[in-house]
Amino acid sequence: MPQSPADACVDDPDLALLRAAGLGDQSAALQLVRLHAPMLHRLAWRMLGDEHEAQDVVQETCLRLWRVAADWRAGEAKISTWLHTVAMNLSRDRLRRRRETCQVDSFDWLASEDSPEHDFERERQGERVRLALAQLPDRQREALILSHFEGCTQTEAATVMGVSVEALESLLSRARRSLRQRWLIGENAS
Amino acid sequence: MSHSHSSEVPASSGRRVRELLLAYGADPARWPAAERTAAQLTLAQWPELLALAKREAALDAMLELGELPASMKMDEAALVRCLPPSGVSMLPVMTRHADSSMQVRSDSGWRWAAPALAAAISLGIGMGWWLPQVDPSTGVTTVADVEDVIEYAQIDAEYEEFLP
């Protein structure tokens, strides 16, 4: 264990909650879920494009957290990074299975029919953007989701993806270049 | 890249800022914290980089449109489903016990794999040696094999007596 528990608590604000949850404190567990489930849900939803599958991924991620809660080794990984990694891996597994069984990626958030009329144009553009994101290569999409949309730091995003920061930057650059070309955002500035 | 400040700004800094813009976009808040201040200073001195930042800001604005609708969030029931299952203790001792019991189950399966394979091979060889063999030249079974067949017939006959 590289750090004392006290140090780790300072570094990772979630550790005290996880410890309490590991001892059976349901309110601490609920607090952890409230803190992280929405972020995991967005991440899985962006990856899978399916609300129900995203919820399954969040549940499975949390279940795995509870399994390791009692034996969590402080200082080895931040809980939020660990959660991101597990959710990302579970999403990747589901995408792989979906493709193996020749199912078409659904991306149900592409078509949102209940948007108010005055937001129609904005929603239409939003759909365009989400469609473009969905069509990026998986690794580029993962990098963009983590770094741009989820606000992960470079180190966190690279850790979740299991790549170096340099590789993360390369994936991000390629993703952005793809989107620029798709949306015809001026190339003459480069 | 030609600009009026080339003698004041190291080319490597300009290149790095360009990399940051292309990877993370125009918002310095997304840049690595350790490089942020220096990169912003460099950016301010290079018109070409400012033009690039403007272009990347347009892309950032497009990406913002791709935010998921606010209605897409987990409801309370879904959050509650993420809690530890009731009745399942996460106390360290219990967890270790649960893990170790799973390990034992897993180990016991593999422990029997090798003897089971050996038994299957032995049985296969034994059956091959013991079952009636046909002489490939004559197509006739050996005498010992005929006796075996008779034994089988007797067994079948006995069995038939008990049939309804």
Side-chain angles (χ1 to χ4, degrees), chain A residues 13-183:
Chain A
D14 299 326
L15 190 60
L17 286 175
L18 185 64
R19 289 253 163 86
L23 293 170
D25 183 344
Q26 286 285 90
S27 68
L30 183 59
Q31 213 175 324
L32 261 182
V33 167
R34 282 193 198 286
L35 276 172
H36 293 289
M39 166 270 294
L40 298 173
H41 187 231
R42 282 197 311 271
L43 173 72
W45 203 336
R46 284 189 191 283
M47 286 293 294
L48 297 165
D50 181 281
E51 179 187 7
H52 298 294
E53 276 202 282
Q55 288 196 6
D56 289 347
V57 164
V58 178
Q59 280 180 44
E60 177 64 25
T61 305
C62 289
L63 194 63
R64 290 185 185 203
L65 180 67
W66 309 138
R67 277 190 207 136
V68 300
D71 297 319
W72 186 269
R73 296 173 69 168
E76 288 197 355
K78 271 184 80 176
I79 292 162
S80 60
T81 307
W82 185 91
L83 288 167
H84 269 109
T85 308
V86 173
M88 184 63 88
N89 286 340
L90 289 171
S91 300
R92 270 190 215 128
D93 287 347
R94 282 173 181 261
L95 275 179
R96 198 176 304 123
R97 277 203 299 273
R98 193 189 281 173
R99 285 165 189 168
E100 279 170 5
T101 54
C102 300
Q103 292 175 42
V104 178
D105 291 342
S106 60
F107 290 98
D108 58 12
W109 41 249
L110 290 175
S112 165
E113 292 171 6
D114 57 353
S115 55
E117 254 181 56
H118 63 276
D119 280 344
F120 179 78
E121 181 56 26
R122 186 180 168 82
E123 185 52 38
R124 196 182 64 81
Q125 287 181 323
E127 284 172 21
R128 270 181 65 204
V129 173
R130 293 191 286 269
L131 177 64
L133 290 173
Q135 290 176 343
L136 284 174
D138 287 349
R139 298 294 274 170
Q140 292 180 26
R141 188 165 82 244
E142 287 172 17
L144 208 56
I145 289 171
L146 290 168
S147 193
H148 188 91
F149 290 103
E150 295 306 323
C152 291
T153 65
Q154 290 72 32
T155 313
E156 280 172 346
T159 304
V160 169
M161 293 186 66
V163 297
S164 65
V165 171
E166 290 75 21
L168 173 79
E169 286 188 2
S170 169
L171 286 166
L172 284 170
S173 295
R174 281 187 276 156
R176 291 178 68 95
R177 185 172 61 225
S178 251
L179 295 174
R180 260 198 319 273
Q181 286 167 351
R182 187 184 178 105
W183 296 327

